[in-house]
Amino acid sequence: MKEKQTLKIGKYRLNLNTLVFLLGIAGILLIGLSSLLPRGEKAAEKASALEEEAKTYASQLEERLTQALTRVEGVGEVRVMITLKSSSEQVVEREQPVRRSATSESDAMGGSRSINEVDSQESVVYRSDGSLSEPYVIKTLPPQIEGVLVIAQGAGNGNVSRTIVEIAQALFDVEAHKVKVVRMEEAAQ
């Protein structure tokens, strides 16, 4: 006759098979719940830093455009707003080894064939610093400008408005339809 092995915990008696089963279920639940926890604050911090960097970049561009436009004859007081399409983009170094082989065959009947094979692979180059490994960045592209709004005292004059649009196009490489120039309200002066 087989004896049941039991474990007494406080005033409770548990069968060992039941205890092992319950511990297994608890382990599975812990593993499942761990996937719901945040993966790390580094990703959120990095996204926040990129967003802050983009805002700073836009503010610097706005300030520089404001300073330039206030020196243009007929423009007067100016307010500028620049919107960005995205944050900066990092271009990483890529390794692209290429292997080529050529084979020429001819048979006794006078026929011939040639086979040319090209095999290439692309992989990202990483740099290591101790246990940390990250892609090797060769350059960082600035954020792309989505649009430019210029509010100016002299914007009611067609020549002044056209000059403002041309300046914004030259400085930021945006199309004319993405630059909006409007006259500043009299009360704001």
Side-chain angles (χ1 to χ4, degrees):
M1 184 157 147
K2 194 171 188 183
E3 236 179 82
K4 284 190 176 182
Q5 296 178 350
T6 60
L7 178 66
K8 186 175 180 184
I9 301 175
K11 59 182 178 178
Y12 300 103
R13 287 186 177 270
L14 291 175
N15 181 339
L16 284 181
N17 290 338
T18 305
L19 183 62
V20 169
F21 176 74
L22 290 175
L23 288 174
I25 294 295
I28 291 171
L29 285 173
L30 285 174
I31 291 170
L33 289 175
S34 70
S35 67
L36 298 176
L37 296 174
R39 281 286 176 213
E41 297 173 4
K42 290 219 180 231
E45 288 174 9
K46 189 172 184 178
S48 176
L50 285 174
E51 186 177 320
E52 192 61 36
E53 180 184 310
K55 285 180 184 178
T56 302
Y57 178 71
S59 295
Q60 290 171 346
L61 293 178
E62 289 169 358
E63 182 62 32
R64 290 176 65 194
L65 182 59
T66 300
Q67 288 176 0
L69 290 177
T70 54
R71 292 193 167 94
V72 175
E73 183 180 347
V75 173
E77 187 182 346
V78 175
R79 301 266 193 273
V80 175
M81 181 176 148
I82 295 176
T83 57
L84 301 176
K85 192 180 287 188
S86 62
S87 62
S88 60
E89 180 182 345
Q90 294 181 334
V91 179
V92 296
E93 181 69 29
R94 296 187 182 275
E95 186 176 50
Q96 300 172 335
V98 177
R99 186 180 57 106
R100 297 173 189 202
S101 66
T103 306
S104 295
E105 298 176 352
S106 57
D107 61 16
M109 302 286 281
S112 66
R113 73 175 175 179
S114 61
I115 301 170
N116 293 317
E117 289 184 41
V118 177
D119 184 25
S120 66
Q121 297 175 343
E122 183 177 295
S123 61
V124 175
V125 175
Y126 288 89
R127 68 176 177 174
S128 297
D129 185 20
S131 64
L132 180 65
S133 179
E134 58 185 26
Y136 182 74
V137 177
I138 55 175
K139 65 180 172 180
T140 301
L141 301 175
Q144 292 182 334
I145 295 175
E146 179 70 29
V148 179
L149 169 65
V150 178
I151 303 169
Q153 281 180 332
N157 181 336
N159 287 334
V160 172
S161 294
R162 186 175 64 247
T163 301
I164 292 172
V165 170
E166 289 171 353
I167 290 170
Q169 283 183 285
L171 291 175
F172 305 126
D173 194 29
V174 293
E175 295 99 20
H177 71 277
K178 292 190 175 192
V179 179
K180 182 67 178 173
V181 179
V182 293
R183 182 174 175 84
M184 186 177 282
E185 188 177 75
E186 294 295 325
Q189 298 175 13

